[in-house]
Amino acid sequence: DAMVIQNPRYQVTQFGKPVTLSCSQTLNHNVMYWYQQKSSQAPKLLFHYYDKDFNNEADTPDNFQSRRPNTSFCFLDIRSPGLGDAAMYLCATTRGHTAGNQPQHFGDGTRLSIL
Amino acid sequence: ILNVEQSPQSLHVQEGDSTNFTCSFPSSNFYALHWYRWETAKSPEALFVMTLNGDEKKKGRISATLNTKEGYSYLYIKGSQPEDSATYLCAFLDSARQLTFGSGTQLTVLP
């Protein structure tokens, strides 16, 4: 059974129209991450939550926001998507900060297309 | 920005062949090295987490080695099967607990 679930698998939105991607987890992990992966590139960390503490990467555009209403759910909001935001968005979780012996647990990803 | 390089970018092998690919990472501030397998339409799946110089890990036909002093890790697949076709990602975890991914090696195993 999937333990990190992302919805939807595929999302199409219009240029400039706000969109929300969701991630839920049944692992009770306290850290949740959002990555952006463009074709043939390395997954790029956008931000992460350590419990309720939000940690934004320095180069994450202001267009990207996140919410974590509880341990199980985390949302990625893109306020005004541009063509350059078309990508695969991956959610991942760990228990505690990524310690040396703990891998990240990923969802299947949401592929976002912008028309 | 940390440099985590994987080579080759893509690889085609025949079923039954053994293969290997490389992950290069900074040799300073090392904390751990992760390997993930990412099959199409599935989620990335952790293969190995390696923390000690000289570590060797094995999972079935897949094994990995680690050299933290020179900053590289090798992933080996013995007797490749079509189901091994996937993108293999490595990720470098530094002492600040920042995880940086490589762009992956895309492996295709031809029947």
Side-chain angles (χ1 to χ4, degrees):
Chain A
D1 287 337
M3 293 178 286
V4 182
I5 301 162
Q6 291 188 243
N7 283 306
R9 288 294 301 275
Y10 301 92
Q11 175 75 58
V12 181
T13 192
Q14 289 180 323
F15 181 94
K17 185 174 181 181
V19 66
T20 294
L21 311 182
S22 79
C23 177
S24 64
Q25 52 125 342
T26 58
L27 297 164
N28 203 32
H29 284 172
N30 57 332
V31 190
M32 294 185 78
Y33 306 83
W34 279 104
Y35 290 90
Q36 179 193 64
Q37 198 236 3
K38 296 188 178 180
S39 181
S40 300
Q41 295 182 23
K44 178 180 174 299
L45 183 63
L46 295 172
F47 25 60
H48 74 275
Y49 275 94
Y50 190 105
D51 294 319
K52 292 182 179 179
D53 292 334
F54 177 70
N55 298 272
N56 201 27
E57 294 300 299
D59 55 354
T60 298
D62 292 339
N63 205 19
F64 289 80
Q65 311 259 307
S66 186
R67 296 170 283 135
R68 189 178 186 187
N70 54 53
T71 301
S72 302
F73 285 87
C74 195
F75 299 98
L76 169 61
D77 301 309
I78 309 177
R79 285 191 299 190
S80 182
L83 296 177
D85 297 328
M88 172 71 82
Y89 290 88
L90 289 166
C91 173
T93 73
T94 55
R95 185 183 301 281
H97 261 303
T98 302
N101 60 351
Q102 291 191 38
Q104 293 192 359
H105 297 261
F106 285 88
D108 289 344
T110 293
R111 184 165 294 284
L112 179 66
S113 301
I114 314 293
L115 300 179
Chain B
I1 296 176
L2 297 175
N3 213 20
V4 179
E5 302 273 354
Q6 290 190 246
S7 64
Q9 191 173 10
S10 66
L11 188 57
H12 288 71
V13 301
Q14 289 294 135
E15 182 175 355
D17 286 352
S18 294
T19 187
N20 65 86
F21 24 93
T22 307
C23 174
S24 302
F25 51 85
S27 55
S28 58
N29 299 319
F30 176 87
Y31 198 87
L33 195 282
H34 294 199
W35 279 102
Y36 294 86
R37 174 170 57 200
W38 192 4
E39 294 178 65
T40 303
K42 295 186 178 179
S43 55
E45 171 200 1
L47 286 172
F48 305 115
V49 177
M50 308 178 81
T51 55
L52 297 174
N53 184 43
D55 244 0
E56 289 190 31
K57 299 258 184 177
K58 190 174 180 186
K59 192 174 187 176
R61 294 179 290 98
I62 305 177
S63 59
T65 60
L66 179 68
N67 183 324
T68 61
K69 294 188 189 309
E70 295 181 41
Y72 65 84
S73 175
Y74 294 136
L75 190 81
Y76 300 91
I77 302 178
K78 186 177 175 183
S80 303
Q81 299 297 308
E83 58 265 31
D84 297 328
S85 297
T87 295
Y88 291 82
L89 291 166
C90 71
F92 169 75
L93 185 69
D94 64 21
S95 51
R97 309 297 173 92
Q98 191 84 353
L99 191 68
T100 303
F101 279 87
S103 54
T105 292
Q106 188 174 1
L107 174 68
T108 303
V109 181
L110 304 167

